[in-house]
Amino acid sequence: MSKIYLIKRLSWYYPMEKMHAFLTFPAIAIYFIYNQPFSNIIFLLYGLAICIFILFQGQLYWKLKLCRLQGKTIEQEKNLTFFRISKKSNLYMICLIPAVFLVQLFLNRWNFELNTLTLGGFAANAFGILEHINYYHTQLMIDNSSDLSYLLRNRKFKKASLAKDLSENYI
């Protein structure tokens, strides 16, 4: 991919990630907070919090990549440290998912209902896990023809861009 193409792509991709981290997912959380009893949405809100936290990391990463491509200076070590700490924090949050689900069950007197809120909670938590994998391990998102051709040619997903940068110690 050419540098010009990447700049053009990140110029719309970074703001879209930022919008989801700061507007879309918080708006969904606020909607449920105002319209549902808290004991029914703890699991859903936790999943949304994981998504917001990981999407924040993603939008920051794409912003840094865009700045780097545009020739702007970034604080290399500070940002690498942030992403390394965030990766560990994500894993801790992911490990707490079953405990949060159990808390919600406890608050609802162990009454498990497979309803829209519960399914939404599973979906939000799964999305958070997939976003973590997408940024820190394997690129799961196929959003352009070069990603698709790589997948078809190699029959496997690419290593995530952030994962490469962390292993190379350079953003």
Side-chain angles (χ1 to χ4, degrees), residues 17-163:
E17 289 281 306
K18 187 175 183 179
M19 180 188 74
H20 291 314
F22 290 103
L23 182 66
T24 308
F25 281 85
I28 293 168
I30 291 168
Y31 171 81
F32 283 110
I33 289 169
Y34 281 107
N35 291 302
Q36 297 294 328
F38 187 70
S39 63
N40 292 344
I41 59 171
I42 294 170
F43 188 56
L44 174 63
L45 291 178
Y46 189 75
L48 291 172
I50 290 173
C51 291
I52 291 167
F53 185 59
I54 295 173
L55 286 171
F56 172 77
Q57 296 162 41
Q59 67 84 31
L60 177 61
Y61 175 69
W62 294 123
K63 176 185 173 184
L64 295 170
K65 289 299 271 189
L66 180 59
C67 288
R68 178 70 79 189
L69 288 168
Q70 293 172 332
K72 298 175 185 173
T73 58
I74 62 169
E75 295 183 47
Q76 184 80 7
E77 285 306 312
K78 176 184 164 190
N79 287 303
L80 286 170
T81 301
F82 170 77
F83 288 117
R84 285 190 179 100
I85 291 170
S86 294
K87 182 179 179 180
K88 289 178 186 174
S89 298
N90 294 345
L91 293 174
Y92 290 131
M93 290 175 73
I94 289 168
C95 287
L96 287 175
I97 289 172
V100 173
F101 183 66
L102 289 174
V103 166
Q104 180 167 319
L105 284 176
F106 175 76
L107 292 175
N108 286 306
R109 297 188 176 115
W110 304 104
N111 182 19
F112 177 75
E113 263 187 65
L114 192 60
N115 57 27
T116 306
L117 293 174
T118 306
L119 291 174
F122 283 116
N125 283 283
F127 184 74
I129 293 168
L130 292 173
E131 279 294 295
H132 174 79
I133 293 168
N134 186 53
Y135 283 121
Y136 288 99
H137 300 284
T138 304
Q139 179 185 329
L140 300 175
M141 185 159 170
I142 300 171
D143 60 352
N144 59 48
S145 59
S146 66
D147 291 341
L148 182 59
S149 65
Y150 179 90
L151 179 64
L152 294 174
R153 184 176 55 250
N154 298 302
R155 300 194 189 280
K156 67 178 185 175
F157 290 104
K158 292 180 183 179
K159 184 174 183 179
S161 182
L162 178 55

